[in-house]
């Protein structure tokens, strides 16, 4: 986990609180910038070094929400991967990482787990539906193709952001 900002006008606000207050902080920064450019000072703040910024209180994010926001903001999971908390369970049921697929001499059918990143549905010439989904595990991104027999059950899972276990072969 990344530490919360300390000191300054933000105090010890966490990510959720900072995210929920972006508009307030932007207006506050613009006001300070305008005052600086015009040479004006807020008479109520004249005796302090840094003006206080009042953030509206917000409940902290759970770990999954924090990681999803991180992935959305920078394009990958930086501090941890959502599957990390399931590692021992995934190993017990025989799930391997995407890196373990390289040179895999094991069974033709393997289990992979990942967090959905993208989903594209297509229609075959026969009229049946199929889809491609990209998922990410702690080692990288992989793509799976889902045929019509499984698609009806898997569609909602692959369009969500919860961990998914796939049997592929």
């Amino acid at each position: 986990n990344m530490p919360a900002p300390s000191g300054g006008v933000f105090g010890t606000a966490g990510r959720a609180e900072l995210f929920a207050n972006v508009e307030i902080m932007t207006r506050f920064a613009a006001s300070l910038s305008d005052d600086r450019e015009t040479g004006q000072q807020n008479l109520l703040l004249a005796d302090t070094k840094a003006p206080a910024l009042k953030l509206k209180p917000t409940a902290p994010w759970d770990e999954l929400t924090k990681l999803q926001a991180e992935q959305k903001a920078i394009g990958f999971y930086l501090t941890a991967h959502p599957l990390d908390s399931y590692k021992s369970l995934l190993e017990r049921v025989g799930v391997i990482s995407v890196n373990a697929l390289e040179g895999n001499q094991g069974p033709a059918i393997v289990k992979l787990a990942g967090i959905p990143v993208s989903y594209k549905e297509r229609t075959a010439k026969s009229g049946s539906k199929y889809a491609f989904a990209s998922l990410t595990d702690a080692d990288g991104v992989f793509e799976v193709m889902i045929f019509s027999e499984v698609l009806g059950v898997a569609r909602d899972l692959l369009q969500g952001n919860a961990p998914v276990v796939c049997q592929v072969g």
Side-chain angles (χ1 to χ4, degrees):
N1 292 338
M2 296 182 71
S6 60
V9 294
F10 298 120
T12 58
R15 292 182 196 185
E17 190 172 16
L18 293 174
F19 187 80
N21 287 282
V22 167
E23 188 176 328
I24 291 171
M25 292 183 297
T26 304
R27 282 195 310 258
F28 184 78
S31 172
L32 289 177
S33 178
D34 289 347
D35 288 352
R36 200 172 314 124
E37 286 177 13
T38 61
Q40 296 179 347
Q41 281 189 327
N42 185 329
L43 295 176
L44 299 174
L45 301 174
D47 294 335
T48 62
K49 289 183 178 180
L53 175 61
K54 299 289 185 194
L55 301 178
K56 61 183 175 189
T58 306
W61 286 337
D62 60 47
E63 192 63 24
L64 183 58
T65 303
K66 187 186 312 182
L67 292 173
Q68 288 168 344
E70 187 174 87
Q71 199 277 340
K72 186 176 180 181
I74 61 176
F76 56 92
Y77 299 104
L78 179 65
T79 56
H81 192 279
L83 293 179
D84 290 350
S85 60
Y86 300 102
K87 187 175 182 175
S88 63
L89 174 63
L90 294 173
E91 287 173 356
R92 269 198 316 259
V93 297
V95 171
I96 64 170
S97 73
V98 69
N99 281 353
L101 284 177
E102 287 184 32
N104 180 30
Q105 301 299 322
I109 297 175
V110 295
K111 292 179 187 174
L112 298 172
I115 304 294
V117 180
S118 68
Y119 177 85
K120 295 174 191 148
E121 200 165 303
R122 305 274 191 255
T123 304
K125 290 179 183 178
S126 65
S128 63
K129 298 270 186 188
Y130 66 98
F132 292 98
S134 292
L135 297 103
T136 176
D137 69 7
D139 290 338
V141 177
F142 58 95
E143 188 172 73
V144 294
M145 184 175 186
I146 305 95
F147 295 104
S148 60
E149 306 85 48
V150 178
L151 190 56
V153 176
R155 182 180 286 117
D156 289 342
L157 294 171
L158 294 168
Q159 290 178 334
N161 50 22
V164 176
V165 175
C166 307
Q167 187 165 315
V168 298

